[in-house]
Amino acid sequence: MEAPLIRRLSRFLAALALTAATTIVGVTTTAGAAHADGCYTWGRMLSEGMSGEDVRQLQIRVSGYPGYGAVLGTDGAYGPATRSAVIRFQQAYGLPADGIAGPQTFNKIYALQDDDCTTVNFSYAEFNDCNSDWSGGAVSASTARANARLSMWKLQAMRHALGDQQIIVTSAFRSYACNSAVGGSSTSRHLYGDAVDLGAGPHSLCRLAQQARYHGFNEILGPGYPGHNDHTHVANKSTRTWSAPNCGI
């Protein structure tokens, strides 16, 4: 069987499975079944109370919609926080906001991601100008890439909230060598791949710092914080540190 035919068959089977799941739970949709995707394809509808790797993959994609000051966990358990994040995602894109991830929600996610699992407006290269293999940091290369990908989804949500205008990334993952070369802190989140420095562009540094509070970043450092008058720093860490005094944060 030729490869194109195999791909078409795979897409048909994935769509058929999701359509069947939609019928079983008794939910109707006018968008039809979700199509297969080059990065990740969901095979069932997801709702509160469910769990699994497919839930975790969904949580990554809606991690930028946790609400003000919150951070959405990516534990694979579809709880109230995940449902609320899905609702915010659905509202942001004009979808029926029922907190259930079905074909319309998945199709929008597919439209927002590339086949390498980056988002349509950010790339791995943009998040790593240190080396090509993501090695030499505080975590494994695969973990650093996964952390960067999570940050991309948060920034994708932030970008949409800011009118779908460009967000300029000036620095993200750093190996220990790269971090030392730029004078970074020895405990920098850049070493983990989950920190991103943003430059001024369509939006001021203060506007970026203020908006980041809604998109799942526990660390926000900006103008007025020592060493951060020329960029806004956002990161994913376990405890909250927000400080951009010149921006009212």
Side-chain angles (χ1 to χ4, degrees), residues 143-165:
T143 297
R145 279 170 62 94
N147 289 343
R149 189 163 60 246
L150 182 63
S151 294
M152 289 182 199
W153 281 102
K154 294 183 178 186
L155 288 174
Q156 188 70 38
M158 184 168 150
R159 186 183 190 278
H160 184 58
L162 290 171
D164 287 313
Q165 293 181 307

Side-chain angles (χ1 to χ4, degrees), residues 130-249:
C130 178
N131 58 45
S132 61
D133 60 8
W134 297 78
S135 65
V139 293
S140 69
S142 60
T143 297
R145 279 170 62 94
N147 289 343
R149 189 163 60 246
L150 182 63
S151 294
M152 289 182 199
W153 281 102
K154 294 183 178 186
L155 288 174
Q156 188 70 38
M158 184 168 150
R159 186 183 190 278
H160 184 58
L162 290 171
D164 287 313
Q165 293 181 307
Q166 181 186 19
I167 290 179
I168 299 171
V169 174
T170 60
S171 180
F173 168 74
R174 300 173 191 159
S175 67
Y176 280 106
C178 290
N179 190 60
S180 177
V182 299
S185 165
S186 61
T187 59
S188 172
R189 297 307 303 182
H190 289 281
L191 296 165
Y192 296 80
D194 63 8
V196 188
D197 290 347
L198 309 175
H203 312 288
S204 69
L205 297 179
C206 280
R207 185 72 186 93
L208 293 169
Q210 291 160 352
Q211 187 63 42
R213 297 173 295 178
Y214 296 86
H215 300 289
F217 293 107
N218 252 349
E219 185 169 77
I220 304 171
L221 306 174
Y225 186 82
H228 289 72
N229 287 329
D230 62 351
H231 68 280
T232 289
H233 167 97
V234 295
N236 307 309
K237 58 183 294 189
S238 58
T239 57
R240 180 188 296 181
T241 303
W242 286 0
S243 184
N246 293 356
C247 309
I249 299 174

